[in-house]
């Protein structure tokens, strides 16, 4: 079983828990997410060592997206997302009046105890309104990047307490500000 708690500014902490299950001899993983009332979610996903995974989620407090199916693939064995540094997710809403499918690309390379994380999502809203932002890919890649480190403390023989701590470069709406910040950062780095 895995459990984590993420402390956030001006919001309730986000609690996540995952537990492995065997159903008819096949590996599955059950999960729960709790934080704000709309974030409450229960899910069940396949957990095979090879191949993509399929997850079914139920959000009781979100009437527009109460049931959804997520197909997740990665760079693991035959497309497995387990311990993969690059994942792609496709989320399909099964509720009436649902939204368009959402697509996410997760970059999570890990160097020892250090992880750099960036998430890109589909930009259907910008294309539907007819306004296409040419700088959208630049803004997405250079902003909202998170770097974390993990520290583990052994409590008992089979119990470990892990702390993940780090910093995040916040998302910004102005690509010139992002470029200026990157130029200032690169000016301070010399090889």
């Amino acid at each position: 079983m895995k459990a984590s708690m993420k402390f956030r500014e001006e919001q309730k902490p986000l609690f996540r828990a995952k537990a492995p299950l065997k159903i008819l001899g096949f590996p599955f993983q059950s999960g729960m997410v709790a934080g704000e009332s709309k974030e409450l979610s229960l899910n069940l996903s396949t957990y095979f060592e090879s191949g993509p995974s399929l997850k079914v989620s139920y959000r009781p407090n979100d009437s527009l997206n109460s049931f959804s199916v997520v197909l997740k693939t990665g760079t693991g064995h035959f497309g497995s997302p387990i311990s993969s540094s690059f994942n792609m997710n496709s989320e399909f809403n099964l509720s009436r009046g649902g939204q368009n499918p959402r697509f996410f690309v997760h970059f999570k390379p890990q160097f020892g105890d250090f992880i750099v994380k960036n998430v890109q999502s589909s930009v259907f809203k910008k294309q539907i309104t007819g306004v296409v932002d040419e700088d959208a890919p630049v803004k997405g890649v250079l902003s909202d990047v998170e770097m974390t480190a993990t520290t583990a403390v052994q409590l008992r023989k089979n119990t470990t307490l892990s702390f993940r701590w780090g910093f995040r470069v916040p998302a910004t709406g102005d690509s010139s500000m992002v470029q200026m910040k990157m130029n200032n950062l690169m000016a301070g780095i010399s090889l």
Side-chain angles (χ1 to χ4, degrees):
M1 179 178 170
K2 285 185 179 181
S4 68
M5 184 173 286
K6 183 177 184 179
F7 296 98
R8 308 176 292 181
E9 290 183 23
E10 299 179 16
Q11 286 182 313
K12 292 180 181 177
L14 187 66
F15 176 76
R16 296 175 192 223
K18 296 179 182 176
L21 292 174
K22 287 269 190 185
I23 300 175
L24 300 174
F26 295 106
F28 285 86
Q29 187 175 55
S30 64
M32 182 192 78
V33 178
E36 300 290 330
S37 64
K38 279 213 166 195
E39 294 174 323
L40 180 64
S41 171
L42 304 171
N43 57 64
L44 180 67
S45 63
T46 59
Y47 199 68
F48 298 109
E49 289 292 325
S50 59
S53 74
L54 189 66
K55 177 168 80 169
V56 178
S57 294
Y58 172 62
R59 296 177 186 94
N61 298 329
D62 190 355
S63 60
L64 294 177
N65 193 17
S66 56
F67 286 100
S68 64
V69 174
V70 178
L71 178 65
K72 188 174 185 180
T73 186
T75 56
H77 193 45
F78 292 111
S80 173
I82 298 173
S83 300
S84 174
S85 62
F86 175 78
N87 292 334
M88 292 182 291
N89 298 357
S90 302
E91 182 175 350
F92 302 94
N93 187 354
L94 301 179
S95 304
R96 279 190 287 150
Q99 309 159 343
N100 290 331
R102 298 188 306 172
F103 302 95
F104 299 93
V105 177
H106 298 261
F107 299 99
K108 267 189 352 184
Q110 184 167 350
F111 310 99
D113 289 337
F114 295 95
I115 300 170
V116 178
K117 182 178 177 184
N118 191 349
V119 177
Q120 298 295 314
S121 63
S122 57
V123 288
F124 287 123
K125 289 180 184 175
K126 292 181 182 178
Q127 293 175 355
I128 288 171
T129 59
V131 178
V132 178
D133 189 355
E134 293 176 359
D135 292 334
V138 174
K139 290 177 193 173
V141 171
L142 298 178
S143 65
D144 202 21
V145 175
E146 181 178 330
M147 181 167 180
T148 60
T150 304
T151 304
V153 178
Q154 189 80 25
L155 295 179
R156 295 187 182 211
K157 186 176 180 182
N158 296 327
T159 307
T160 303
L161 180 63
S162 296
F163 296 97
R164 187 175 294 162
W165 49 276
F167 66 91
R168 170 181 278 166
V169 177
T172 179
D174 186 6
S175 64
S176 61
M177 286 296 290
V178 173
Q179 189 63 38
M180 190 172 71
K181 287 179 184 177
M182 287 304 292
N183 288 339
N184 289 341
L185 177 65
M186 296 310 285
I189 297 174
S190 61
L191 299 176

